[in-house]
Amino acid sequence: MAPSTPVHVVVMGISGSGKSTLAASLSEELGWPFAEADEFHPAANIAKMSAGTPLTDEDRWPWLRSIAGWMSEHAEAGTGSVVTCSALKRSYRELLETAAGRVVFLEVDADPAVIERRMNEREGHFMPASLLPSQIATLEPLEADEDGAHLANTGSVEELEASALAALTRLLGADPHTLPGRNHASSGTPGRRRAQENPSNLNEEERA
């Protein structure tokens, strides 16, 4: 019998790793609401990153609380969700875990050289490639006692999605297709709406 507790899948990792591509694919496959963490940043955070200034913990706490709140809203409505979030530090992930329901993390790993190329080639996104070293230095990879799994982004989107679904099945002890969710097409999440309205503005992860 499938667990009744809503599950939130946080697809995490540094910018350009392929988080958005995987998260959108999982949302489509599972029919769960989808959101981009970028959509929750206040204007001040976006201005700092656009200027090449790394965010501080103080900048990130309200942003992370907003994401956790979004997940809680869906859990209280009886649905799971899929959200992208860099979630670079364990303390950030612990805050996200305060959301109602169960929060699991899928950390997407990719070759830094490939990530840098993607970031240099992208258009219409506020995160400059100059912040990549800061993100790499800040990243605290998932530890063995955390509720999540590592995924290597070395093949096709289909292969990455298959690895993600297998990891979720292992973590949850159930096929994720059987868990509470709803068709995200009716949820009006900002990230999905932005992608549908103007595909040319997708960030590098969505095009990866």
Side-chain angles (χ1 to χ4, degrees), residues 1 31 38 43 50 63 74 82 85 92 102 110 129 137 170-171 174 180-181 188 206:
M1 184 168 165
D38 288 348
S50 297
W63 168 63
H74 284 288
V82 180
C85 181
Y92 302 166
R102 179 177 174 183
R170 184 172 64 255
L171 288 166
E206 291 166 321

Side-chain angles (χ1 to χ4, degrees), residues 48-62:
K48 286 187 73 170
M49 289 184 284
S50 297
T53 303
L55 298 180
T56 65
D57 284 355
E58 289 67 30
D59 295 323
R60 289 188 172 103
W61 297 130

Side-chain angles (χ1 to χ4, degrees), residues 2-168:
S4 58
T5 301
V7 172
H8 309 290
V9 178
V10 177
V11 184
M12 59 165 285
I14 61 176
S15 183
S17 60
K19 299 189 300 293
S20 295
T21 299
L22 175 59
S25 182
L26 286 175
S27 172
E28 197 75 42
E29 174 67 22
L30 298 173
W32 295 359
F34 167 73
E36 287 274 8
D38 288 348
E39 303 288 345
F40 296 87
H41 273 303
N45 283 8
I46 293 174
K48 286 187 73 170
M49 289 184 284
S50 297
T53 303
L55 298 180
T56 65
D57 284 355
E58 289 67 30
D59 295 323
R60 289 188 172 103
W61 297 130
W63 168 63
L64 293 163
R65 282 193 288 269
S66 294
I67 298 168
W70 181 86
M71 292 191 290
S72 290
E73 288 176 6
H74 284 288
E76 288 160 6
T79 74
S81 68
V82 180
V83 62
T84 65
C85 181
S86 53
L88 298 175
K89 292 184 179 181
R90 180 164 184 154
S91 58
Y92 302 166
R93 299 191 287 273
E94 289 173 346
L95 192 157
L96 293 173
E97 286 178 318
T98 65
R102 179 177 174 183
V103 180
V104 298
F105 299 92
L106 297 179
E107 181 178 347
V108 183
D109 301 314
D111 186 323
V114 173
I115 292 174
E116 184 175 13
R117 175 179 55 77
R118 290 175 181 167
M119 295 182 75
N120 283 323
E121 292 175 351
R122 70 185 176 180
E123 297 178 359
H125 192 268
F126 58 79
M127 176 75 77
S130 62
L131 288 180
L132 180 58
S134 173
Q135 287 218 328
I136 293 173
T138 303
L139 176 64
E140 297 174 0
L142 279 174
E143 298 183 53
D145 63 335
E146 292 188 84
D147 198 357
H150 290 265
L151 302 175
N153 187 3
T154 58
S156 67
V157 175
E158 292 76 17
E159 290 170 330
L160 185 60
E161 181 187 297
S163 295
L165 290 170
L168 289 173

